[in-house]
């Protein structure tokens, strides 16, 4: 038999009572986290979102409540009325904020029962958690865990802090529609069929990019929004098909002014975890980041920069290296400090690791008691000694070397640098290192189709210095390859090796925008059919403008210190884009499809 709540009101939360409350009569409500029966006494750990309080029911002083407590199991919902008492000598629990007191129950109400949960909620250490798929199916139970309660509340605080920041800086929050027309940003759109206009489709926003630019044309000057975005991308463990961005845009600004808002916002948000980032973050061009770290989002919590060995090796008659230079490649290395004791097996593993990034092989030098190297036979001891010196390696170190195309050398050594830092525990987890990476390339070359695609998105402005080169590359087909050299006014904010935000100064002149569509291989007709409304808007007095978007999930992952994006979302999807709790995506009623004029090709 369940009890009714009636007029009973809670007086305190389960995380609130302390020694100074001793003697007070209180009412607590929550879930049974644990129950222990000791003859006369039954102890219950009562849990709500604020914490846990131990309540004790005695058969001597509260016989009826004690009898009821017998039928209680984990996750039952109960209310207790009683007096706060000091815990007996030796039974204080320093792990609980309420561990100095307990509540001596006079009356107990069972407000609801609960089925036996399919997994244990509170376990010591995250490695003991039940399988994630099970926890996602019963997300409401998993969300009861204090860690997830903390994460989701931190997320709410972060979003509040972001609103505070932009509101305080004169930005206006403007909502843009979810039912939109496709605005390509590199990923596939989710599309929504229209019933009223059969055969036509809306697209869900990949980001509000064009609309926020139009708010600038409309004269709002400073816009922001906490925007839900949807990208139908191929599956990746750290991606979700829907996610949230802080999206902002401002008019009449240069890049530095946008950086200031990026710094200001993150600095304000990271105060939530008492981290003070510098008022002005270091800046580094994309070219420098790639040269020194092999990455456009370097983790600056450790060194291990890439060293260029090309000068020492040019002119070598070792065929693989000579061929590599012939093809315009380079040879670089990193130094693994104190790792001259890497075994053959470990070096083989690292070689397999770099191969995943396209490297053909990994050569090495170890400066142990003797100098050993996979290149000793082909280059000779004098050259190896010289290479080690140029790499800045000392006795006890290992030098890890990759040759290949510039992009492959950067990708493989950049990843290897992170991998070694992780394996060797080189990262100080209490540190927060931030950086603004600037002057990204405007285009990426797609080797398969031999075309250029927008590295950021098609609305990003080229650098003023590169505008002429850009125009030449577009207008003179023999100079098309120059597109690969054009730099953009695009930038990223990086914290601890994670890209937290990205943005650009936009193209605000219609002829430059038309030229960019042409550079991307779009005919004037196709540009018009996709972006006609935007090209029209650009005709009517567009101010120079720029902005950025920051990933709310990524930011929260830094705030709570998790590597799992699902830990900062209340109802995430799996890595294969399914909601296991609701079992979506699901089939719909045939009549719904009929109304939409859609038929599904069932493949057997
Ligand atoms: N819309 C861009 C993105 O989602 C950000 C920006 O350029 O403001 O990455």
């Amino acid at each position: 038999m369940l009890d009714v709540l009636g007029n009973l009101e809670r007086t305190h939360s389960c995380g609130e009572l302390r020694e100074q409350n001793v003697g007070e009569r209180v009412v607590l409500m929550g879930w049974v986290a644990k129950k222990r029966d000791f003859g006369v006494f039954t102890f219950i750990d009562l849990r709500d979102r604020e914490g846990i309080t131990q309540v004790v029911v005695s058969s001597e002083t509260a016989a009826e409540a004690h009898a009821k407590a017998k039928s209680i199991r984990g996750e039952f919902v109960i209310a207790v009325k009683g007096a706060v008492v000091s815990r007996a000598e030796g039974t204080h629990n320093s792990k609980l904020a309420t561990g100095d007191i307990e509540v001596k129950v006079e009356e107990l109400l069972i407000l609801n029962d609960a089925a036996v949960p399919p997994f244990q909620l509170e376990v010591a250490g995250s490695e003991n958690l039940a399988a994630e798929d099970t926890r996602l199916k019963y997300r409401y139970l998993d969300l009861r865990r204090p860690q997830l309660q903390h994460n989701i509340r931190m997320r709410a605080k972060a979003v509040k802090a972001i609103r505070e920041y932009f509101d305080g800086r004169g930005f206006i929050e403007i909502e843009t529609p979810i039912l939109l027309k496709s605005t390509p940003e590199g990923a596939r759109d989710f599309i929504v069929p229209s019933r009223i206009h059969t055969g036509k489709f809306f697209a869900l926003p990949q980001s509000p990019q064009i609309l926020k630019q139009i708010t600038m044309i409309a004269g709002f000057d400073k816009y922001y929004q906490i925007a839900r975005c949807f990208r139908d991308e191929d599956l990746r463990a750290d991606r979700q098909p829907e996610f949230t961005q802080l999206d902002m845009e401002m008019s009449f600004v240069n890049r530095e002014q946008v950086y200031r808002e990026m710094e200001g916002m993150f600095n304000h948000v990271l105060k939530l975890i008492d981290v003070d980032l510098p008022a002005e973050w270091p800046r580094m061009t994309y070219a420098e980041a790639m040269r020194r770290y092999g990455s456009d989002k370097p983790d600056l919590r450790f060194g291990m920069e890439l060293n260029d060995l090309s000068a020492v090796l040019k002119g070598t008659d070792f065929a693989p290296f000579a061929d590599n230079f012939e093809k315009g490649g380079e040879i670089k290395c990193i130094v693994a400090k104190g790792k001259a004791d890497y075994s053959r097996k470990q070096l083989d593993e690292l070689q397999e690791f770099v191969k995943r990034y396209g490297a053909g092989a990994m050569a090495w030098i170890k400066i142990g008691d003797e100098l050993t190297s996979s290149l000793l036979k082909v280059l000779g001891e004098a050259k190896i000694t010289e290479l080690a010196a140029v790499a800045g390696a000392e006795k006890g170190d290992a030098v890890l070397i990759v040759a290949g195309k510039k992009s492959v050398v950067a990708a493989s050594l950049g990843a290897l640098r992170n991998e070694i830092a992780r394996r060797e525990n080189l990262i100080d987890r209490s540190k927060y290192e931030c950086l603004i990476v600037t002057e990204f390339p405007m285009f990426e070359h797609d080797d398969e189709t031999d075309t250029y695609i927008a590295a950021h998105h098609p609305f990003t402005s080229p650098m003023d210095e590169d505008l002429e080169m850009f125009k030449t590359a577009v207008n003179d087909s023999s100079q098309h390859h120059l597109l690969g050299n054009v730099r953009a006014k695009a930038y990223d904010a990086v914290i601890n090796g994670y890209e937290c935000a990205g943005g650009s100064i936009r193209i605000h002149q219609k002829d430059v925008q038309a030229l960019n569509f042409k550079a991307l291989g779009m005919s004037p007709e196709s540009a018009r059919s996709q972006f006609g409304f935007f090209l029209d808007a650009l005709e009517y007095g567009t101010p120079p403008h720029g902005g950025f978007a920051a990933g709310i999930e990524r930011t929260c992952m830094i705030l709570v210190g998790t590597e799992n994006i699902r830990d900062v979302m209340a109802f995430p999807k799996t890595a294969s884009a399914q909601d296991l709790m609701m079992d979506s995506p699901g089939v719909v009623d045939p009549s719904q499809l009929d109304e939409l004029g859609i038929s599904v090709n069932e493949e057997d």
Side-chain angles (χ1 to χ4, degrees):
M1 260 289 277
L2 297 179
D3 297 307
V4 288
L5 179 60
N7 294 328
L8 195 62
E9 290 182 19
R10 265 196 296 200
T11 59
H12 295 82
S13 78
C14 295
E16 205 178 337
L17 296 171
R18 301 285 185 275
E19 198 73 62
Q20 64 264 30
N21 300 101
V22 166
E24 285 176 33
R25 301 201 56 245
V26 298
V27 177
L28 302 184
M29 300 185 193
W31 288 262
V32 174
K34 219 185 272 164
K35 187 185 92 165
R36 298 174 304 276
D37 280 314
F38 295 111
V40 179
F41 295 108
T42 295
F43 292 89
I44 295 169
D45 282 351
L46 192 61
R47 182 191 68 232
D48 68 10
R49 67 175 214 187
E50 304 298 333
I52 285 182
T53 301
Q54 174 166 287
V55 306
V56 41
V57 202
S58 154
S59 61
E60 284 169 358
T61 53
E64 196 185 325
H66 189 261
K68 269 193 199 170
K70 283 247 170 305
S71 65
I72 285 174
R73 287 194 316 263
E75 303 308 316
F76 270 42
V77 184
I78 65 170
V80 297
K81 202 172 186 178
V84 183
V85 297
S86 253
R87 290 210 195 183
E89 214 34 59
T91 65
H92 290 244
N93 182 351
S94 58
K95 286 197 203 118
L96 280 186
T98 61
D100 289 332
I101 57 94
E102 59 194 9
V103 173
K104 203 163 168 261
V105 174
E106 293 154 15
E107 215 178 294
L108 185 151
L109 303 182
I110 300 180
L111 300 175
N112 218 337
D113 57 9
V116 177
F119 57 88
Q120 218 180 327
L121 292 186
E122 276 162 56
V123 291
S126 54
E127 64 282 3
N128 294 320
L129 288 172
E132 196 180 16
D133 279 2
T134 312
R135 287 185 287 119
L136 286 171
K137 180 163 161 58
Y138 301 94
R139 186 63 170 171
Y140 39 87
L141 292 177
D142 204 25
L143 283 170
R144 286 185 195 165
R145 283 194 295 122
Q147 182 62 55
L148 286 187
Q149 290 268 324
H150 169 79
N151 294 358
I152 300 302
R153 290 173 75 174
M154 183 59 93
R155 182 178 173 132
K157 283 185 196 166
V159 170
K160 177 167 181 264
I162 288 171
R163 286 209 160 92
E164 247 164 42
Y165 176 80
F166 283 107
D167 193 56
R169 303 277 301 164
F171 286 76
I172 298 163
E173 185 168 3
I174 301 174
E175 287 181 79
T176 53
I178 293 292
L179 294 179
L180 219 67
K181 182 175 155 137
S182 163
T183 59
E185 297 240 0
R188 217 172 276 122
D189 287 321
F190 279 101
I191 57 171
V192 180
S194 160
R195 181 183 56 81
I196 294 169
H197 304 279
T198 313
K200 295 205 166 158
F201 297 85
F202 294 103
L204 304 184
Q206 293 186 31
S207 92
Q209 183 61 38
I210 294 188
L211 288 170
K212 73 170 167 176
Q213 290 190 237
I214 292 179
T215 66
M216 296 301 104
I217 300 175
F220 286 101
D221 210 305
K222 290 175 173 182
Y223 140 99
Y224 83 102
Q225 179 180 196
I226 307 291
R228 194 65 70 83
C229 306
F230 306 83
R231 295 183 192 174
D232 189 5
E233 283 176 309
D234 287 332
L235 310 171
R236 286 231 312 249
D238 61 342
R239 291 278 169 91
Q240 286 275 321
E242 66 179 291
F243 57 95
T244 311
Q245 286 188 334
L246 166 276
D247 194 45
M248 69 82 88
E249 195 75 11
M250 52 201 307
S251 291
F252 306 109
V253 287
N254 57 37
R255 287 179 295 159
E256 280 296 329
Q257 285 172 290
V258 184
Y259 301 164
R260 255 176 254 155
E261 302 302 339
M262 212 147 71
E263 293 160 342
M265 180 197 88
F266 280 115
N267 290 8
H268 183 63
V269 171
L270 263 80
K271 288 213 179 79
L272 287 170
I273 52 166
D274 296 325
V275 169
D276 278 320
L277 296 176
E280 187 178 312
W281 296 14
R283 283 114 169 80
M284 192 183 290
T285 63
Y286 169 88
E288 184 180 348
M290 293 307 282
R291 182 168 52 75
R292 290 175 58 191
Y293 299 97
S295 166
D296 58 6
K297 43 178 188 299
D299 189 339
L300 298 185
R301 289 175 297 177
F302 58 95
M304 224 196 312
E305 293 188 22
L306 277 52
N307 288 303
D308 197 344
L309 302 176
S310 303
V312 188
L313 290 168
K314 281 249 163 81
T316 175
D317 44 21
F318 179 46
F321 285 179
D323 280 359
N324 177 53
F325 287 131
E326 186 95 328
K327 290 187 195 133
E330 56 182 15
I331 304 180
K332 287 182 141 185
C333 70
I334 55 173
V335 176
K337 278 270 150 229
K339 286 288 133 198
D341 59 356
Y342 268 147
S343 65
R344 205 14 109 71
K345 183 166 165 275
Q346 284 171 310
L347 288 166
D348 285 349
E349 268 173 29
L350 296 178
Q351 163 149 285
E352 285 314 306
F353 180 84
V354 293
K355 281 183 175 172
R356 278 189 248 151
Y357 296 86
M362 185 192 82
W364 50 264
I365 302 171
K366 294 198 289 186
I367 319 177
D369 290 332
E370 288 167 41
L371 187 73
T372 51
S373 168
S374 59
L375 297 169
L376 199 55
K377 280 215 185 90
V378 289
L379 296 181
E381 190 163 339
K383 204 57 163 177
I384 298 292
T385 311
E386 193 188 347
L387 285 177
V390 170
E394 295 170 338
K395 183 139 199 272
D397 297 347
V399 184
L400 309 172
I401 305 166
V402 171
K405 249 181 29 177
K406 270 187 180 176
S407 57
V408 168
V409 170
S412 45
L413 284 180
L416 186 62
R417 176 178 172 269
N418 286 334
E419 176 67 10
I420 290 179
R422 193 185 61 77
R423 287 183 183 211
E424 309 304 337
N425 257 329
L426 301 182
I427 301 174
D428 177 352
R429 303 271 163 202
S430 66
K431 260 185 158 178
Y432 292 81
E433 291 291 342
C434 52
L435 176 71
I436 296 176
V437 179
T438 65
E439 298 177 28
F440 273 75
M442 179 108 167
F443 302 97
E444 274 166 21
H445 187 252
D446 182 348
D447 293 340
E448 255 172 54
T449 54
D450 191 21
T451 51
Y452 287 92
I453 50 180
H456 188 46
H457 51 55
F459 316 105
T460 297
S461 165
M463 296 274 292
D464 297 336
E465 297 86 330
D466 294 352
L467 187 61
E468 282 313 310
M469 176 166 48
F470 168 68
K471 288 183 177 167
T472 310
V474 186
N475 290 328
D476 176 351
S477 60
S478 73
Q479 301 299 312
H480 201 53
H481 62 277
L482 285 179
L483 285 181
N485 299 340
V486 177
R487 293 163 304 162
K489 293 184 184 173
Y491 35 77
D492 276 356
V494 177
I495 302 179
N496 291 351
Y498 290 109
E499 178 201 325
C500 295
S504 58
I505 298 294
R506 325 301 180 184
I507 298 169
H508 67 281
Q509 290 155 334
K510 58 180 183 308
D511 46 343
V512 181
Q513 185 62 67
L515 221 46
N516 200 29
F517 286 142
K518 187 172 170 204
L520 296 168
M522 241 182 257
S523 67
E525 297 72 42
S526 106
R528 179 127 288 278
S529 88
Q530 285 192 62
F531 302 112
F533 68 100
F534 183 58
L535 288 168
D536 287 346
L538 284 176
E539 302 257 0
Y540 292 94
T542 303
H545 61 286
F548 71 87
I552 297 291
E553 285 82 12
R554 175 60 65 202
T555 305
C556 293
M557 285 163 75
I558 290 173
L559 292 176
V560 305
T562 180
E563 306 262 301
N564 181 349
I565 188 169
R566 294 176 291 280
D567 282 351
V568 295
M569 303 177 82
F571 301 106
K573 301 202 171 35
T574 61
S576 54
Q578 281 172 305
D579 184 319
L580 297 181
M581 183 182 76
M582 294 199 290
D583 192 20
S584 76
V587 290
V588 296
D589 197 279
S591 66
Q592 278 177 291
L593 290 180
D594 265 359
E595 274 182 340
L596 295 165
I598 288 179
S599 69
V600 176
N601 268 337
E602 303 255 11
E603 281 180 36
D604 27 343

